[in-house]
């Protein structure tokens, strides 16, 4: 591209415009981007790199870890621990927080990540990704897990890197959403879209339909009406996509609109949902809101939820604003009727 803008130049120019990216935060974002380049390289090797298959271990969620889950987690820890920009990290793959070792200076930020989301897709060559969220470390002495328990509205940066036909980094620091595509010849992320906007209406929904018999009434009503198409109350036909990789589904929605749903269901009634609040729902919800969309757990804005546990789960419906608001309305009606 003639006058391509690198990630570094974009961040420097954003800092000049609105001071929203202090140098330590810019360093953090660039280090995460470099780590994502390394993860992309490992993912792209596939069978040739001996990185497919399971690692014969479980993560904190009780899920069998893939070799690449562990590799991606280690890449992010090693890339970020020495830079002096972080006090600690939290990961879907680690039960406890990782405090930056004393041999390195501690910084003012906290980094949370799902190092490789959608890893069930790794062995079948379907898009996967890294999701990250940045919070400020509260004032005080030693960093604790409690310092991470901030609502999504407190994030100072959030994004993901999708490892698909292209490797694309998607980022917000609170002034809209920008997308950067990895130029493998240069080895750098190049700005390919900014001021990303999610259309307020859509004719495409994303949900795992095999769970239909377990859904509650608002979810069943919303999907039934979509399936009725032009014959039903929506008066238009809907298409369905489900990649089983949140990063890929959210990327499609940021690119062309849609609604993504992983709602509460009756399989495990005590679990609010499958997805994790701190390092999946919060960063994705901020990106979607920054692009003009909406994100809810059915009853409140995801970004308003006050976390109580580092790995807590949440019900998620996000994407095109008018669809998310319609779902919220159905939830409110169901609450009134109960
Ligand atoms: P299911 C991947 O494991 C993940 O956490 C999300 O990326 C994805 O949207 C969801 O779970 C898929 O869940 O139950 O359809 O396999």
């Amino acid at each position: 591209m003639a006058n391509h803008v690198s990630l570094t130049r974009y961040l420097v120019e954003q800092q000049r415009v609105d001071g929203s990216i202090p140098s330590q935060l810019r360093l953090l974002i660039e280090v995460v981007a470099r780590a994502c380049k390394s993860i992309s390289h490992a993912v792209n090797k596939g069978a040739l790199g001996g990185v497919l298959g399971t690692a014969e271990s479980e993560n904190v969620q009780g899920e069998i870890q893939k070799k690449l889950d562990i590799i991606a987690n280690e890449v992010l820890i090693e890339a970020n621990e020495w830079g002096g920009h972080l006090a600690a990290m939290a990961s879907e793959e680690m039960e406890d927080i990782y405090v930056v070792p004393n041999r390195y200076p501690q910084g003012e930020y906290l980094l949370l990540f799902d190092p490789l989301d959608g890893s069930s897709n790794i062995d079948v060559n379907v898009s996967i990704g890294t999701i990250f969220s940045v919070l400020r470390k509260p004032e005080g002495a030693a960093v604790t897990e409690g310092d991470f328990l901030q609502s999504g509205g407190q994030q100072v940066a959030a994004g993901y890197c999708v490892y698909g036909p292209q490797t694309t980094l998607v980022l917000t620091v609170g002034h809209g959403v920008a997308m950067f595509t990895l130029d493998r010849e240069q080895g750098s992320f190049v700005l390919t879209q900014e001021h990303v906007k999610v259309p307020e209406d859509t004719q495409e929904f994303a949900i795992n339909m095999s769970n239909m018999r377990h859904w509650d009434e608002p979810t069943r009503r919303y999907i039934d009406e979509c399936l009725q198409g032009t014959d039903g109350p929506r008066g238009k036909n809907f298409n369905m996509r489900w990649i089983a990789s949140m990063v890929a589904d959210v990327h499609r929605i940021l690119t062309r609109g849609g609604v993504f749903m992983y709602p509460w269901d009756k399989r495990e009634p005590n679990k609010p949902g499958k997805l994790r609040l701190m390092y999946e729902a919060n960063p994705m919800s901020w990106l979607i809101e920054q692009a003009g969309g909406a994100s809810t757990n059915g009853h409140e804005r995801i970004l308003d939820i006050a976390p109580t546990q580092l790995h807590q789960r949440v019900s998620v419906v996000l994407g095109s604003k008018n669809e998310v608001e319609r779902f919220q309305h159905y939830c409110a009606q169901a609450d009134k009727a109960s």
Side-chain angles (χ1 to χ4, degrees):
M1 300 175 74
N3 57 346
H4 82 222
V5 173
S6 68
L7 174 64
T8 300
R9 179 175 165 187
Y10 174 84
L11 295 172
V12 166
E13 291 179 344
Q14 279 293 308
Q15 169 62 9
R16 280 186 199 137
V17 165
D18 53 35
S20 64
I21 314 181
S23 60
Q24 286 298 300
L25 181 58
R26 176 159 63 83
L27 171 63
L28 200 177
I29 292 168
E30 290 188 306
V31 168
V32 170
R34 266 198 301 281
C36 289
K37 263 195 294 189
S38 303
I39 295 168
S40 173
H41 183 69
V43 165
N44 286 167
K45 280 188 177 173
L48 298 177
V51 294
L52 299 184
T54 58
E56 312 307 326
S57 56
E58 280 189 0
N59 64 14
V60 63
Q61 328 288 341
E63 295 163 341
I64 294 289
Q65 291 176 303
K66 298 283 190 180
K67 288 177 191 166
L68 271 170
D69 282 327
I70 294 175
I71 293 167
N73 194 63
E74 288 168 356
V75 165
L76 283 158
I77 296 285
E78 287 161 17
N80 282 285
E81 64 178 348
W82 51 268
H85 48 276
L86 283 182
M89 294 176 247
S91 166
E92 182 198 35
E93 300 303 329
M94 302 186 301
E95 176 135 19
D96 302 316
I97 64 169
Y98 180 89
V99 178
V100 168
N102 291 333
R103 64 182 178 279
Y104 301 125
Q106 282 218 345
E108 61 182 291
Y109 294 107
L110 304 174
L111 176 65
L112 303 93
F113 47 83
D114 179 353
L116 208 55
D117 177 71
S119 46
S120 61
N121 285 317
I122 294 173
D123 297 351
V124 294
N125 201 11
V126 170
S127 299
I128 49 185
T130 297
I131 309 172
F132 62 92
S133 171
V134 182
L135 297 167
R136 274 195 192 80
K137 176 189 168 299
E139 290 303 315
V143 62
T144 65
E145 181 173 299
D147 291 333
F148 283 80
L149 301 184
Q150 302 175 42
S151 69
Q154 302 303 309
Q155 294 174 100
V156 292
Y160 62 80
C161 192
V162 54
Y163 311 115
Q166 304 96 43
T167 286
T168 302
L169 180 78
V170 180
L171 172 71
T172 185
V173 291
H175 298 275
V177 176
M179 295 187 175
F180 304 82
T181 302
L182 181 60
D183 175 344
R184 292 190 185 281
E185 287 157 15
Q186 302 281 342
S188 61
F189 281 104
V190 177
L191 180 66
T192 42
Q193 192 175 347
E194 55 182 331
H195 314 307
V196 174
K197 285 291 169 246
V198 176
E200 293 196 346
D201 294 301
T202 184
Q203 290 180 246
E204 194 161 72
F205 65 84
I207 195 167
N208 183 337
M209 292 293 284
S210 70
N211 299 326
M212 181 183 279
R213 66 188 181 285
H214 306 301
W215 294 341
D216 63 7
E217 196 276 335
T219 304
R220 182 183 296 279
R221 175 181 174 190
Y222 177 81
I223 296 296
D224 280 350
E225 289 180 356
C226 290
L227 295 176
Q228 290 173 47
T230 50
D231 304 334
R234 300 304 309 274
K236 58 184 181 179
N237 293 325
F238 281 76
N239 190 17
M240 193 211 93
R241 286 287 183 273
W242 187 248
I243 307 175
S245 175
M246 185 184 197
V247 173
D249 282 315
V250 169
H251 193 70
R252 184 190 59 254
I253 289 167
L254 279 170
T255 306
R256 71 185 191 208
V259 59
F260 171 95
M261 306 177 79
Y262 213 113
W264 172 92
D265 69 41
K266 300 164 189 158
R267 286 175 294 174
E268 295 183 82
N270 298 329
K271 259 166 96 174
K274 173 179 184 183
L275 302 179
R276 292 79 168 178
L277 175 64
M278 297 305 295
Y279 39 77
E280 288 177 335
N282 275 344
M284 292 309 207
S285 297
W286 198 28
L287 286 166
I288 289 288
E289 285 200 4
Q290 282 289 310
S295 181
T296 180
N297 66 355
H299 304 285
E300 63 182 309
R301 194 169 158 253
I302 293 275
L303 296 181
D304 289 339
I305 296 175
T308 54
Q309 292 173 340
L310 186 60
H311 299 290
Q312 75 183 66
R313 296 173 188 264
V314 68
S315 168
V316 180
V317 174
L318 59 78
S320 293
K321 192 169 184 301
N322 293 340
E323 293 303 315
V324 174
E325 288 178 355
R326 173 183 289 268
F327 176 76
Q328 272 182 302
H329 177 59
Y330 291 176
C331 291
Q333 284 185 318
D335 288 348
K336 262 193 222 140
S338 59

